[in-house]
Amino acid sequence: MDLIVLGCSGSYGAPAGGACSGYLVREGATTIWIDCGNGTFPHLQEHVAVEDLSGVVLTHLHPDHCVDLYSLHVYVRYGSDLSRLPVFAPAYSQRLLGALVADWGDAFAWHAIDNGAAVTIGELGLRFSRTDHPPPTYAVELTSREKRLVYTSDTGPGWSVEAFEPGADLVLSEATYTHDHRPSAIHLSARQAGEAARAARARRLVLTHLWPQIDPVTAVEEGSESFGEAVTLAAPHLVTKV
Ligand SMILES: [Zn+2]
């Protein structure tokens, strides 16, 4: 299984190509786009043909996780022969995001996700878990025949990756802040991300969704200390094997 980071800037876009949240997960012929943050659609096209997407997952409707779905919509309807591309998203997404679209046409086949729901997309099994974040927000576990990836989406400390089976091969965890800079309780610090991944016996930890004003070196040091081994900080176009 491959994880490709399209964007990882926390909550707003950073300078120099700092797209917001978006990832590709690839297993064989299956490619899933998880979160369509601003700036991720241009990056996506550097890694995959849109025609090769198997489906799209929106973990929640904060703009930094969903607005490039509008670009995908335009591409699918007017720039391709695609139709009914599967989109897995919170139940009200089609209506709420539709406020800016007169008509979705048959661009997407919408599927509602919910706490504990499980779906199969091609060669990957997905399971969702409601996190501690204001709009309905879902962490997602992706399982192939051999590997398991857990993406926390956005969450405060009231939810943990321990909601899934322990021992994931890779945990991609939000770590918006550092311990000494936590202006809001709806996100994690790098220390909290490391502690949770350690408790869940994750094999590897990649930190993401870093607030652009936070020093990345401090975040990596803090996360590595609490996780117990070196963590990786996500960066646009990072490609890693799960
Ligand atoms: Zn959010």
Side-chain angles (χ1 to χ4, degrees):
M1 196 192 306
D2 289 320
L3 167 67
I4 300 165
V5 178
L6 302 177
C8 51
S9 185
S11 304
Y12 67 94
C20 284
S21 293
Y23 310 92
L24 290 175
V25 178
R26 203 151 52 182
E27 170 72 31
T30 303
T31 302
I32 302 174
W33 183 11
I34 300 176
D35 280 347
C36 307
N38 30 312
T40 54
F41 189 59
H43 286 179
L44 177 144
Q45 294 166 78
E46 294 181 42
H47 293 277
V48 68
V50 179
E51 285 73 9
D52 290 338
L53 285 177
S54 312
V56 177
V57 173
L58 299 180
T59 63
H60 65 301
L61 294 192
H62 274 156
D64 62 312
H65 290 253
C66 70
V67 295
D68 271 14
L69 190 74
Y70 292 115
S71 297
L72 179 65
H73 163 247
V74 170
Y75 181 92
V76 167
R77 282 188 77 182
Y78 308 110
S80 80
D81 296 326
L82 295 169
S83 66
R84 299 192 56 74
L85 183 63
V87 174
F88 298 82
Y92 49 87
S93 302
Q94 180 177 5
R95 177 176 51 81
L96 201 58
L97 295 173
L100 296 185
V101 179
D103 163 23
W104 290 107
D106 64 352
F108 302 135
W110 296 86
H111 303 274
I113 60 176
D114 209 345
N115 188 39
V119 297
T120 301
I121 305 176
E123 294 161 66
L124 290 168
L126 282 70
R127 223 154 55 81
F128 299 97
S129 177
R130 174 76 169 91
T131 73
D132 174 24
H133 197 66
T137 301
Y138 300 93
V140 55
E141 174 192 63
L142 297 106
T143 307
S144 69
R145 224 176 306 167
E146 292 174 344
K147 298 289 182 180
R148 197 155 55 87
L149 162 68
V150 173
Y151 166 48
T152 65
S153 182
D154 286 1
T155 188
W159 178 91
S160 153
V161 290
E162 293 168 278
F164 296 108
E165 289 287 304
D169 295 284
L170 192 153
V171 167
L172 174 64
S173 177
E174 85 121 276
T176 307
Y177 304 129
T178 50
H179 184 72
D180 294 331
H181 181 93
R182 282 180 292 170
S184 146
I186 66 170
H187 291 293
L188 299 178
S189 68
R191 180 188 293 185
Q192 289 168 322
E195 285 170 352
R198 184 179 198 155
R201 303 207 296 277
R203 290 172 186 270
R204 262 177 77 207
L205 174 60
V206 176
L207 302 182
T208 190
H209 202 271
L210 185 74
W211 186 255
Q213 293 158 331
I214 296 282
D215 174 33
V217 174
T218 305
V220 166
E221 286 175 353
E222 187 175 300
S224 299
E225 191 183 341
S226 62
F227 182 53
E229 53 188 284
V231 303
T232 303
L233 186 63
H237 307 293
L238 174 76
V239 180
T240 187
K241 287 256 177 245
V242 173

